[in-house]
Amino acid sequence: MRGLACVLMFQTHCYDSWLGRDARKSTFFMWSQLGGTLPAPLFLFLAGISFALVTDKLRLKGVPAGQIARTTIRRGAEIFGLGLLFRLQEFLIAWGWAPWSDLLRVDILNTIGLSMMLMGVVCGIVLLFNSGSQTRFALGVTAAGLGMSISLLSPLLWTSWRPRWLPWPLESYIDGVHNLGQPQAWLFPIFPWSAFAFIGLAVGFFLLSDAARKRGATTFALAGAGGVGLIYLARWLDARPHQLYATYDFWHTSPNFFLIRVGILLVILAAAYLWCRWGAGQWGFSPLIQLGYTSLLVYWVHIEFVYGRLSILPKRAVDIRTASFGLLAIFLSMVLLSVLRTRLKGRGAEAVTWFYRPVKAS
């Protein structure tokens, strides 16, 4: 699933950066950018699932709730720090034409790190009051409730409840306002983006439950069916004549669009299980699985060759065919980079982000 997120990210960035004016008016470009609404939810959703795996492992080892919280919060802080470092790198590479405000842009790595820190706090609190057989259930329900709450609050925090009293670098983490006076759709503030991480956390604890493990493949089939049900429910809700919010922005803050994307994530989860258990994932080398091992690295590197000074094609100047060849070049080079990375670190080594490494309880 991480590898799929990488491929969707590559195509979105490549076509957005390189296609010229006429190509940008095409139906092809529209569908390309629609596919671009999935990589960020996928990365956050998978961060939540990985977080559940790590937290449950530490809990079963008898690690105290406070120590679990400190360990996971520290890992989230590391990712947040990497996000700040990435912004500094991009600013220095673009020295001379990038505005200084780019240093404070709320990007996806920042939000993943903050979401992990928030999940660490929440899990620590829940574990303080739940230590029995229903712990996973309590953690999952709490995570799902917080995920939906974040989604439901997002339209208000982008409009009538905007925290205008905060300095814009801080307000931007709430609503993505940056220094432009209005929330910006191209940024990744906590509202609504961290909701995907909390839903992933809930799904992770569900997958770890005894009942889900006993059902095996049926569990993933149910998840996929539930995803389809969420998509139809969200479409039905969106078609109602009366809406909850005075300002309704379907594509950016709508809880209905959030539910649709959660439904798609669950369908992808089921499809990925089928692919890995009975499909091409069993055939041998898998470029998607390989990219998934080093998703942070290929994210970090490909940006410069697509959007930066080292772009392999002229920006906003080529047709769909040329951009597609450029996309293929980016894909193959990132797979090669990923292979080199894992072989240098040892066969089967995983990426540097905390949720790809085993966490040892001290």
Side-chain angles (χ1 to χ4, degrees):
M1 289 179 72
R2 286 195 192 101
L4 175 63
C6 289
V7 172
L8 290 170
M9 173 179 66
F10 294 159
Q11 70 86 23
T12 303
H13 289 169
C14 288
Y15 290 126
D16 178 59
S17 176
W18 297 331
L19 287 183
R21 180 178 300 178
D22 292 339
R24 300 179 78 83
K25 298 176 182 178
S26 65
T27 303
F28 177 89
F29 181 71
M30 179 197 73
W31 282 105
S32 166
Q33 297 309 293
L34 188 61
T37 64
L38 284 176
L42 269 167
F43 284 127
L44 285 158
F45 179 74
L46 293 169
I49 291 179
S50 298
F51 199 99
L53 297 174
V54 171
T55 300
D56 197 65
K57 180 179 179 181
L58 293 174
R59 182 182 67 86
L60 293 176
K61 286 185 174 181
V63 179
Q67 187 174 339
I68 292 175
R70 287 191 298 272
T71 300
T72 52
I73 291 170
R74 185 171 62 249
R75 297 297 190 183
E78 290 177 6
I79 300 302
F80 182 75
L82 287 172
L84 297 178
L85 182 62
F86 178 74
R87 294 259 49 88
L88 176 61
Q89 171 194 287
E90 292 301 292
F91 177 75
L92 293 176
I93 290 175
W95 184 271
W97 56 269
W100 68 269
S101 58
D102 273 7
L103 287 167
L104 302 175
R105 183 191 303 178
V106 182
D107 218 333
I108 185 63
L109 283 180
N110 306 65
T111 302
I112 290 175
L114 283 176
S115 297
M116 289 160 58
M117 295 167 72
L118 291 172
M119 289 189 292
V121 172
V122 170
C123 288
I125 293 173
V126 174
L127 289 172
L128 281 175
F129 300 98
N130 294 270
S131 58
S133 60
Q134 296 299 310
T135 301
R136 289 188 185 120
F137 179 78
L139 287 164
V141 169
T142 302
L146 284 171
M148 282 307 306
S149 298
I150 291 170
S151 177
L152 289 169
L153 287 172
S154 294
L156 296 173
L157 289 169
W158 278 46
T159 54
S160 56
W161 290 6
R162 265 187 58 195
R164 293 179 174 86
W165 47 274
L166 287 173
W168 72 260
L170 295 181
E171 183 187 350
S172 195
Y173 280 94
I174 303 298
D175 55 23
V177 71
H178 202 52
N179 64 338
L180 302 173
Q182 294 293 330
Q184 303 298 306
W186 46 276
L187 296 177
F188 297 91
I190 294 172
F191 295 87
W193 291 101
S194 62
F196 292 106
F198 277 99
I199 294 299
L201 183 66
V203 171
F205 283 120
F206 167 72
L207 294 176
L208 288 168
S209 67
D210 294 334
R213 289 180 173 183
K214 288 177 181 177
R215 292 189 179 97
T218 303
T219 296
F220 290 90
L222 290 173
V228 173
L230 277 180
I231 293 170
Y232 278 98
L233 172 63
R235 293 183 62 185
W236 179 81
L237 290 172
D238 191 64
R240 297 306 90 201
H242 302 289
Q243 298 294 339
L244 290 174
Y245 307 99
T247 303
Y248 186 65
D249 187 346
F250 177 81
W251 292 106
H252 301 127
T253 60
S254 164
N256 294 327
F257 188 41
F258 170 74
L259 286 178
I260 288 174
R261 287 192 284 186
V262 169
I264 293 173
L265 293 175
L266 292 174
V267 171
I268 292 174
L269 177 67
Y273 177 83
L274 294 173
W275 180 267
C276 291
R277 182 163 182 179
W278 295 298
Q282 294 286 336
W283 293 357
F285 176 77
S286 169
L288 290 184
I289 293 174
Q290 180 62 51
L291 287 172
Y293 286 144
T294 58
S295 55
L296 174 60
L297 176 65
V298 297
Y299 165 78
W300 198 297
V301 173
H302 94 282
I303 288 289
E304 189 57 33
F305 292 98
V306 176
Y307 283 117
R309 291 183 186 270
L310 301 178
S311 175
I312 64 173
L313 289 175
K315 299 173 188 174
R316 303 216 172 189
V318 304
D319 57 18
I320 294 173
R321 180 175 178 272
T322 304
S324 297
F325 280 117
L327 169 60
L328 179 61
I330 289 292
F331 172 75
L332 293 176
S333 60
M334 291 302 104
V335 171
L336 177 60
L337 176 65
S338 179
V339 170
L340 291 174
R341 168 67 176 177
T342 53
R343 289 192 176 180
L344 287 173
K345 294 288 288 183
R347 187 175 181 182
E350 298 177 312
V352 294
T353 40
W354 78 272
F355 47 83
Y356 304 156
R357 297 198 308 262
V359 175
K360 296 180 180 179
S362 60

